[in-house]
Amino acid sequence: MNRYVIANWKMNVPPEGIGGYMDVLENAPAGDAQVVVAPPFLYIPELVKKARRIAVGAQNCGDRKSGAFTGEVSAAMLRDAGAWFAIVGHSERRGVYGEGDELVGRRMALAVENGLTAVLCIGEDLSVRDAGLPRVTEHLSSQVRAVAQAADARPGGVVIAYEPVWAIGTGRNASGAMVAETVAQIRSAVTQFWPASRATTPILYGGSVTPDNVGDLVANGNIDGFLVGGASLDSRKFLAIYDGLVGRK
Ligand code: PEP
């Protein structure tokens, strides 16, 4: 499967509870896109126990193999716990905790080396978007280039999530047409800086995706799925987004 719908719970648990949430998703009809749920680290084993078709992800992963790195969880530990995915470079990690491309690249490389699929988040803030598409392209290309260099350009096992920072948690999402135009630029940066991954790297969109705007994004966005924050905390909304991607009403 090369399409994904990924739930990023951030530092939250769904109000309906983990068991109820997982039951709704596991009992929904299967479609040709992989569902991934990324809870806070602590809940990964509980989700893994309940998961049959759903894959479990982490919201970050360590940039070192092991050692004196308080607060970090290594990629090998995440695999041991049953996770298959790790989000890296989320804009909240970059913006709130000051993570830069080099660090994100190291996290990504270790995730991939340890058999996880890295979900690499890239995106521009509002000042860059307001400066126009050439500036957006320059920004996203430089994120792709820096991370590809830091990760030794190993492309295997990477999914890119295009997440404009101005659309995350703001209720303001990009239109399908704007996403398609930007995704084309990301694909050309990937081709340039990560040639081996060119045909296979899925590109997702994230930023205030809801059941109401999923139709335009699917029809016009030229994307391979979604990374969903706020709306992923309600299993039924999350499922409606999944249904929108796989073309089920
Ligand atoms: C996210 O955190 O990755 C995200 C896309 O959040 P939201 O859907 O709430 O904008």
Side-chain angles (χ1 to χ4, degrees), residues 18-141:
I18 292 175
Y21 183 98
M22 292 296 280
D23 281 350
V24 172
L25 295 192
E26 285 290 358
N27 291 322
D32 70 340
Q34 176 66 52
V35 174
V36 181
V37 180
F41 288 131
L42 187 65
Y43 301 109
I44 289 174
E46 188 175 342
L47 264 75
V48 167
K49 253 190 231 151
K50 294 181 169 26
R52 296 189 311 277
R53 286 187 279 124
I54 293 170
V56 180
Q59 296 175 17
N60 206 349
C61 97
D63 69 314
R64 315 287 164 135
K65 286 189 175 152
S66 63
F69 303 105
T70 303
E72 293 286 301
V73 178
S74 77
M77 291 169 185
L78 294 171
R79 266 306 300 123
D80 270 358
W84 282 107
F85 290 76
I87 298 169
V88 296
H90 190 279
S91 66
E92 285 150 18
R93 299 303 315 175
R94 293 177 188 263
V96 183
Y97 298 100
E99 295 194 6
D101 287 324
E102 209 187 308
L103 172 59
V104 172
R106 286 203 305 274
R107 294 189 188 286
M108 185 176 82
L110 276 173
V112 173
E113 246 174 69
N114 283 278
L116 296 161
T117 296
V119 182
L120 168 66
C121 300
I122 59 173
E124 80 286 356
D125 66 19
L126 195 54
S127 66
V128 172
R129 173 52 69 177
D130 284 346
L133 188 62
R135 180 72 194 92
V136 172
T137 302
E138 192 181 292
H139 178 82
L140 296 173
S141 300

Side-chain angles (χ1 to χ4, degrees), residues 8 10 90 92 163 167-170 206-209 227-231:
N8 174 13
K10 312 192 183 193
H90 190 279
E92 285 150 18
E163 297 213 304
I168 295 181
T170 59
S208 297
V209 179
L227 177 53
V228 188

